[in-house]
Amino acid sequence: MPLLLLLITSFLSLLLLYTIITIRKKSSSSSLPNWPLLGMLPSLLWNLSNLHDFATRILKAHGGTFAFRGPSFTNLDFIVTSDPANVHHIVTKNFSNYPKGPELKAIMEPFGEVIFNTDGDSWKTKKDIILSLIKTAGFERLLMTTLRHKLADSLIPVLDHAARNHDDVVLDMQDVMKRFTFDLTCLLLLGIDPECLSTSFPRVPCAEAFDVIEEAIVYRHCVPPWVWKLQRWLHVGWEGKTVKAEECLNAFLEERIRVKMVEKQAKESSLNDDGDDNYDLLMKLIVETERLMGAACYSSKGEKFVRETVVSLMVAGRDTIAVALSWFFWLVTTNPGVEEKILEELDRVVITQTGEEQGIFSSIEELNKMVYLHGAISETLRLYPSVPNEPKQSMEADVLPSGHAVGKNTRILVSIYSMGRMEEVWGKDWMEFKPERWISERTEGNNIINDDDVDKKKKCTIHVPSYKFAAFLAGPRSCPGRKIAFMQLKNIASCVLRRYKIVVVDDHPVLPLPSIMMFMKYGLKVRVLSRKPENK
Ligand code: HEM
């Protein structure tokens, strides 16, 4: 009997060893074994810690498109692509055949019916309202003013404190940016500052609730639906935490919406138009919603619609900016030549600014002059797009331009991360962080944009079609916040770089987290040194 047991154990160990070696060999040779019953799942799990680069390697080896086979007892097959022709087809040409699909709707349900998980008329209504709120001169002015105050009142004091105590204080720049963008987003959308970012780094329940919900969405992507549904029903595990987080976030938002309703009734006011300096986004959203639904229906459906629109904008504008800045600071500090050029450009553009105003822009015209900084940010988003993947689901069978057949209800993943690393699009030096690839001195031609630049002889930003540079996606579902995003990114980046030298802590591991957002797995641990002589 012990001999039999020994034989069985030895056989199983050998089988396990063989499996591991096979997966390793196949993974490094960029082809995936398709196991009976298990499909390609073992390789995926094996490479989970480095998922984005693993997908890129597989895609490069397969001409940009790959059909992944999940275990036979699940419904986990999908097609992943980084081929610009396929991407153009999916997100633009045959847009109506590739909605987000019902699965994503269920997965993102803790945030409610936000713009990211809705399709059809419901999506269109949300998009129209959002465009009417953020694509206005009033909102841009509000953003510039709020940003100036918030930089001066919270980011600079926190970084000054870290710089004065740089021997003792190590900051997680990703956490700093997440706190800053949460406060900023709440100020812009709700008119209140939750004060997440201060030297005491307080715990703020609504911000933590937001994080828990985001993590729950990642969790739901990784387990079969019946698992999270059962956990939710029992209120246990992540799902139990998520239910509480939803209550917390909703209570925070509903309170603000109710206060604004009372304010509106008291004022009997209509919305501010663009000429008004006191642009009030929440008031405008409530008025637009009433107009859309009729005042009588407002209380039942309207409040939910308003809350979900606010959440849509919080999801859209908070972590996208925070993660982009985290990668930007890491790339800049590890490429001193680039840092130097940004500082030189800042010297030229902000030469008139002194004292407290240093590095904080007051106008969009000034921001537009920062062409090299624009290139450095575009380059960051090419290599580390804030949203690394775009999920879709086919309605009907189709054939992609690459020749791959797509069945009805097939899951498709556009790998935005891999698109930024394709030699065919970016050249042999695709792995280099090179802001120069975004800059041209040509003064005419279709590939030049620099809308607001008066002097056409100045350096211009090169326009890359969005189905090649897809960090903001392309087609009808492309990001309407691109301009706003650049305004924030350039302003925050220049304010920080002009005043401080950011030094990444020795041996700090910088790795992407396999998630729906391009978070750094271990954050970005840095010391902050002041560039002001008196604080050195
Ligand atoms: C670095 C910053 C940003 C990046 C990289 C980015 C990228 C993207 C991407 C890839 C999408 C498509 C996502 C999807 O459909 O699942 C998207 C959608 C969207 N973004 Fe952005 N975004 C950024 C900042 C912003 C900001 C600041 C706002 C607004 C204040 C915004 C508003 C939106 C909205 C409303 C959508 C939904 C569009 C739709 O479904 O039609 N984004 N963004």
Side-chain angles (χ1 to χ4, degrees):
M1 193 66 178
L3 184 67
L4 184 67
L5 205 65
L6 189 71
L7 279 173
I8 292 174
T9 320
S10 309
F11 174 73
L12 287 176
S13 308
L14 278 173
L15 189 68
L16 185 69
L17 195 67
Y18 171 77
T19 309
I20 290 172
I21 291 170
T22 311
I23 294 174
R24 261 207 171 143
K25 241 163 94 187
K26 297 270 184 176
S27 298
S28 58
S29 72
S30 302
S31 74
L32 299 188
N34 190 3
W35 298 91
L37 293 176
L38 294 175
M40 298 171 181
L41 189 65
S43 303
L44 196 75
L45 295 176
W46 186 263
N47 289 282
L48 203 58
S49 61
N50 199 12
L51 205 53
H52 301 305
D53 285 327
F54 170 64
T56 305
R57 213 169 56 237
I58 298 294
L59 286 169
K60 278 177 192 254
H62 291 84
T65 304
F66 183 75
F68 177 87
R69 302 274 167 246
S72 41
F73 48 87
T74 65
N75 181 21
L76 274 179
D77 291 2
F78 62 88
I79 291 178
V80 55
T81 187
S82 60
D83 177 342
N86 285 352
V87 176
H88 192 38
H89 178 85
I90 293 164
V91 303
T92 307
K93 281 192 182 162
N94 202 7
F95 170 73
S96 57
N97 193 44
Y98 294 97
K100 295 289 182 115
E103 284 166 25
L104 195 73
K105 194 180 175 86
I107 284 178
M108 288 192 78
E109 172 259 355
F111 271 138
E113 251 187 58
V114 285
I115 189 163
F116 301 98
N117 65 351
T118 40
D119 290 307
D121 289 346
S122 171
W123 161 72
K124 183 97 186 52
T125 310
K126 284 182 202 302
K127 183 106 183 208
D128 287 346
I129 290 246
I130 286 177
L131 287 176
S132 77
L133 296 174
I134 64 171
K135 290 255 180 185
T136 63
F139 184 70
E140 284 179 12
R141 271 199 302 277
L142 174 72
L143 173 61
M144 288 303 278
T145 327
T146 314
L147 204 45
R148 276 165 74 85
H149 289 305
K150 196 63 197 155
L151 287 170
D153 298 344
S154 64
L155 186 60
I156 293 173
V158 166
L159 297 184
D160 268 351
H161 175 263
R164 276 196 303 275
N165 304 287
H166 59 83
D167 285 337
D168 306 321
V169 176
V170 169
L171 286 185
D172 176 359
M173 207 57 175
Q174 179 169 265
D175 183 40
V176 170
M177 290 300 133
K178 278 185 73 176
R179 286 169 179 269
F180 181 82
T181 50
F182 190 80
D183 287 349
L184 182 70
T185 312
C186 287
L187 272 165
L188 294 169
L189 303 178
L190 305 168
I192 54 156
D193 187 348
E195 298 183 0
C196 292
L197 184 60
S198 74
T199 45
S200 61
F201 286 83
R203 294 189 62 177
V204 176
C206 58
E208 288 185 355
F210 199 89
D211 289 342
V212 169
I213 297 176
E214 276 189 339
E215 282 171 48
I217 289 169
V218 177
Y219 174 70
R220 286 182 178 196
H221 272 93
C222 303
V223 295
W226 66 264
V227 174
W228 64 257
K229 282 183 181 163
L230 182 66
Q231 285 184 327
R232 185 164 177 100
W233 188 63
L234 296 170
H235 283 213
V236 296
W238 259 117
E239 292 294 325
K241 255 173 107 175
T242 309
V243 173
K244 289 200 185 91
E246 280 170 56
E247 286 165 5
C248 174
L249 186 65
N250 287 345
F252 168 70
L253 295 173
E254 279 158 14
E255 165 69 12
R256 283 309 302 161
I257 296 167
R258 238 168 268 140
V259 168
K260 192 57 72 179
M261 277 301 280
V262 172
E263 209 180 290
K264 178 178 168 291
Q265 277 150 10
K267 274 194 199 164
E268 278 300 313
S269 71
S270 61
L271 62 162
N272 320 100
D273 61 23
D274 280 350
D276 195 331
D277 274 346
N278 302 313
Y279 185 87
D280 187 335
L281 185 139
L282 186 54
M283 181 77 85
K284 187 167 170 170
L285 172 58
I286 292 172
V287 173
E288 288 285 338
T289 308
E290 276 184 352
R291 191 175 294 161
L292 190 78
M293 297 184 173
C297 285
Y298 179 84
S299 58
S300 54
K301 289 196 288 179
E303 197 173 298
K304 181 171 176 288
F305 184 87
V306 170
R307 179 166 44 78
E308 287 170 343
T309 308
V310 170
V311 175
S312 300
L313 285 169
M314 286 173 99
V315 174
R318 184 222 181 175
D319 287 337
T320 47
I321 301 283
V323 297
L325 285 164
S326 307
W327 288 103
F328 170 83
F329 287 126
W330 176 66
L331 284 166
V332 166
T333 53
T334 47
N335 288 272
V338 172
E339 184 172 18
E340 217 166 279
K341 285 186 187 162
I342 295 175
L343 291 173
E344 278 168 22
E345 187 176 62
L346 272 166
D347 277 344
R348 282 196 306 277
V349 174
V350 297
I351 202 149
T352 51
Q353 291 182 359
T354 52
E356 291 309 305
E357 295 294 294
Q358 268 202 42
I360 305 181
F361 293 95
S362 52
S363 72
I364 297 169
E365 290 70 37
E366 270 179 341
L367 277 176
N368 285 338
K369 290 182 186 154
M370 298 294 299
V371 175
Y372 191 81
L373 178 61
H374 197 104
I377 291 170
S378 303
E379 191 64 347
T380 304
L381 290 169
R382 172 180 76 83
L383 288 167
Y384 298 99
S386 306
V387 183
N389 293 302
E390 169 70 6
K392 298 278 189 190
Q393 194 165 4
S394 65
M395 300 248 289
E396 299 297 336
D398 190 16
V399 178
L400 297 178
S402 60
H404 288 79
V406 174
K408 195 177 166 157
N409 292 330
T410 302
R411 279 197 218 83
I412 311 265
L413 211 58
V414 172
S415 174
I416 300 177
Y417 180 88
S418 306
M419 288 178 77
R421 289 155 185 264
M422 290 181 60
E423 196 173 315
E424 296 81 348
V425 177
W426 304 102
K428 283 203 183 318
D429 60 354
W430 63 266
M431 76 295 279
E432 280 176 42
F433 178 59
K434 234 172 110 179
E436 288 78 6
R437 74 173 92 237
W438 295 89
I439 299 164
S440 163
E441 290 196 49
R442 283 170 49 191
T443 51
E444 6 173 68
N446 291 337
N447 64 337
I448 307 291
I449 50 154
N450 198 359
D451 298 343
D452 302 294
D453 198 351
V454 189
D455 182 356
K456 291 290 175 198
K457 287 198 183 92
K458 282 183 183 163
K459 291 186 172 156
C460 299
T461 303
I462 291 181
H463 173 67
V464 178
S466 43
Y467 54 89
K468 290 185 178 169
F469 172 58
F472 294 94
L473 206 64
R477 284 202 90 130
S478 64
C479 174
R482 184 182 182 135
K483 184 177 176 195
I484 296 164
F486 270 101
M487 284 164 69
Q488 293 185 43
L489 294 167
K490 285 164 99 170
N491 230 327
I492 300 166
S494 63
C495 170
V496 172
L497 290 184
R498 177 98 167 151
R499 289 156 180 268
Y500 312 99
K501 181 159 182 59
I502 305 295
V503 182
V504 179
V505 168
D506 281 347
D507 300 330
H508 174 66
V510 174
L511 290 173
L513 182 75
S515 176
I516 47 174
M517 258 331 146
M518 197 75 216
F519 289 115
M520 287 179 172
K521 191 169 181 181
Y522 303 105
L524 183 65
K525 297 283 165 65
V526 302
R527 288 186 199 280
V528 179
L529 308 180
S530 176
R531 292 195 198 271
K532 279 191 265 173
E534 67 268 26
N535 285 350
K536 272 182 182 165

